[in-house]
Amino acid sequence: MQVFVDSTPVASGFNRFGGFFARPWLGVLSRSLAAIVGGYALAATCAMFFAVALPIARAQAVLTGMLVAIVLCACAALWAFATRTALRAWIGIAAPTAMFWLGALALGARA
């Protein structure tokens, strides 16, 4: 039994650009940027949130926030390359970053 596959290109816009976005190096680049830029943003907002949220001495709160931020930065890099798609990597890093930032703003953090 023979199965014939139609190999003619379809002239739709999705398929025209689908080949460009399906290139593997773009996914790796996007994940790398998510790990580097997103991880840094997550670490910075985490440190800021803990510095204003913890009910301990200010110096201890800042130190605790920075230590947790180092761990979260490493976890963000792992997350960026462990997820199924690069979009999930960006969303998985951007969502907690936004929550930490909004929480710090709600607690009265100043820039």
Side-chain angles (χ1 to χ4, degrees):
M1 182 168 141
Q2 279 187 325
V3 177
F4 295 101
V5 177
D6 184 18
S7 63
T8 58
V10 179
S12 70
F14 177 75
N15 287 334
R16 209 174 304 146
F17 294 111
F20 179 75
F21 289 118
R23 295 182 185 184
W25 67 271
L26 286 174
V28 174
L29 177 66
S30 179
R31 289 171 189 263
S32 298
L33 289 174
I36 295 168
V37 176
Y40 179 77
L42 179 62
T45 55
C46 168
M48 181 175 64
F49 175 75
F50 277 103
V52 296
L54 291 177
I56 55 179
R58 182 59 55 131
Q60 291 297 317
V62 170
L63 182 63
T64 303
M66 291 178 75
L67 290 173
V68 173
I70 292 169
V71 173
L72 277 182
C73 189
C75 290
L78 290 173
W79 172 260
F81 288 97
T83 57
R84 196 175 297 240
T85 64
L87 180 63
R88 278 189 188 181
W90 278 104
I91 291 172
I93 294 172
T97 301
M99 287 190 289
F100 278 133
W101 183 66
L102 291 173
L105 286 179
L107 292 173
R110 294 178 299 233

